[in-house]
Amino acid sequence: MKLRFWQDKASLGMALAVLSALGFSFKAIFVKQAYVVAPVEPVILLSLRMLYSLPFFLMISLPALQNIKTLSLRELFLLVCIGIAGYYGASILDFIGLQYISAGLERIILFSYPILTIILGVFFLGHRFDKRLLVPMGLCTFGVVCACISDIQVGNNESHIWLGIMLVTGSAICYAFYQAFSEPMIERLGAKAFSILAMLVSVIAVELHFFSQLPLSDLKQPPEIYVQCAMMAIFSTVLPVFFQSSAIKYIGAARAVLVSTIGPALTLVFGWLILGEAITLLQVSGMLLVLVGVLTIKSKRT
């Protein structure tokens, strides 16, 4: 009976991990669909996504802020930088970049962020570099290059594709910064309190960006845009975060990470099915190289 209960719990954890990967993979699909619906500015999509997501995170995480510790000025500055980089910088660069490249390439570039996290850790946090990581890092880099070449070959405007690649790479750098520097803040505040504070910082940054660039009337969009942003907030932001946390609880971080590697493949498939994006042998090869590299990096760091 006990064994059967464990098997059920493991199955539930695997299912939650798959749903989390599916949700995160669909984010680019929602953004690309919104661009098809109307010529909407990326900051508008991001602003609506944040506004839809925030109430859910507040309801779940607000109790964690009641016993929050007092932060020093240095810690407060670091929190602001992490929030701006992780939830605002990474997102706005990603949303802009998706105007120029395929959803599949975007996901492959973003999925290679562990390389950048390692580099930031070595240069800014005093981490030692493990020479065993050279091969998997090389695989990830070569895989991203293959995927980029595929988009350039298929696309019509090479300069726009290169711009999209640079923007999404900038997004990956911002997310790597968030990952590298968030660990000490999580230890200081706790995961829930840190996450909600970082999100609050990002919401302020997003809205400042919006009001400095556009009038309030620009939030008036076709109903389809509101639907896409609401679905992005619920199914590609809020639910995947909680699915992932629950999956780690049931099956552990290692298995959850393993399941998450299906994310780029899911984005490629749904980009083809829903957006009509081409899938090439070079792109699939690049994706597989990145997945092998990322899995090897994570296995050697654990």
Side-chain angles (χ1 to χ4, degrees):
M1 187 71 178
K2 187 175 181 181
L3 178 62
R4 184 178 177 182
F5 172 73
W6 166 248
Q7 288 175 339
D8 291 342
K9 198 162 61 169
S11 298
L12 175 60
M14 293 294 288
L16 289 169
V18 171
L19 287 173
S20 175
L22 179 62
F24 284 130
S25 301
F26 244 93
K27 182 260 300 176
I29 306 298
F30 287 132
V31 174
K32 297 285 281 187
Q33 282 187 306
Y35 288 144
V36 172
V37 170
V40 58
E41 291 288 335
V43 70
I44 295 176
L45 295 180
L46 182 56
S47 180
L48 291 171
R49 178 198 187 190
M50 289 294 191
L51 292 175
Y52 284 132
S53 302
L54 186 60
F56 294 97
F57 282 109
L58 284 175
M59 284 189 294
I60 300 297
S61 304
L62 200 55
L65 299 179
Q66 294 177 354
N67 299 318
I68 191 172
K69 299 176 182 178
T70 303
L71 297 176
S72 65
L73 287 176
R74 180 181 177 280
E75 290 172 331
L76 186 60
F77 176 74
L78 181 59
L79 175 66
V80 170
C81 290
I82 292 172
I84 290 175
Y87 286 109
Y88 164 66
S91 295
I92 192 64
L93 290 173
D94 182 41
F95 279 38
I96 298 173
L98 278 167
Q99 293 178 304
Y100 307 110
I101 62 174
S102 67
L105 175 57
E106 177 259 8
R107 190 65 178 167
I108 292 171
I109 294 174
L110 289 183
F111 199 77
S112 64
Y113 77 88
I115 300 176
L116 302 169
T117 305
I118 292 170
I119 294 172
L120 289 174
V122 170
F123 281 98
F124 297 104
L125 296 175
H127 295 172
R128 292 184 60 184
F129 181 75
D130 187 345
K131 292 182 180 179
R132 295 177 302 170
L133 296 176
L134 281 173
V135 172
M137 289 176 69
L139 289 175
C140 285
T141 303
F142 186 59
V144 170
V145 170
C146 288
C148 291
I149 292 173
S150 173
D151 255 43
I152 291 170
Q153 290 178 343
V154 173
N156 297 320
N157 193 323
E158 184 174 335
S159 62
H160 279 187
I161 294 172
W162 276 114
L163 175 59
I165 290 170
M166 288 187 290
L167 287 166
V168 177
T169 301
S171 172
I173 293 172
C174 287
Y175 189 70
F177 177 90
Y178 172 84
Q179 288 289 319
F181 287 87
S182 62
E183 187 174 345
M185 292 302 297
I186 290 174
E187 292 178 358
R188 179 84 169 83
L189 298 170
K192 284 187 177 180
F194 166 75
S195 296
I196 193 62
L197 287 173
M199 175 162 277
L200 287 172
V201 168
S202 71
V203 168
I204 294 171
V206 170
E207 299 313 322
L208 285 174
H209 181 168
F210 173 80
F211 285 110
S212 66
Q213 182 180 350
L214 301 168
L216 182 61
S217 59
D218 277 15
L219 281 179
K220 186 177 181 181
Q221 296 291 328
E224 293 88 345
I225 294 295
Y226 298 131
V227 172
Q228 293 293 333
C229 289
M231 293 176 68
M232 191 194 326
I234 295 171
F235 296 111
S236 293
T237 307
V238 177
L239 288 180
V241 168
F242 295 114
F243 285 155
Q244 188 177 55
S245 299
S246 298
I248 291 172
K249 176 183 176 182
Y250 288 125
I251 62 175
R255 287 186 180 181
V257 167
L258 183 62
V259 175
S260 72
T261 58
I262 67 173
L266 290 173
T267 304
L268 283 179
V269 171
F270 286 114
W272 171 62
L273 288 174
I274 298 174
L275 303 174
E277 295 180 349
I279 297 180
T280 67
L281 180 60
L282 191 60
Q283 190 180 44
V284 173
S285 300
M287 178 195 69
L288 292 175
L289 287 170
V290 170
L291 294 186
V292 171
V294 168
L295 284 174
T296 307
I297 287 172
K298 290 184 176 179
S299 66
K300 290 185 181 298
R301 296 180 73 191
T302 53

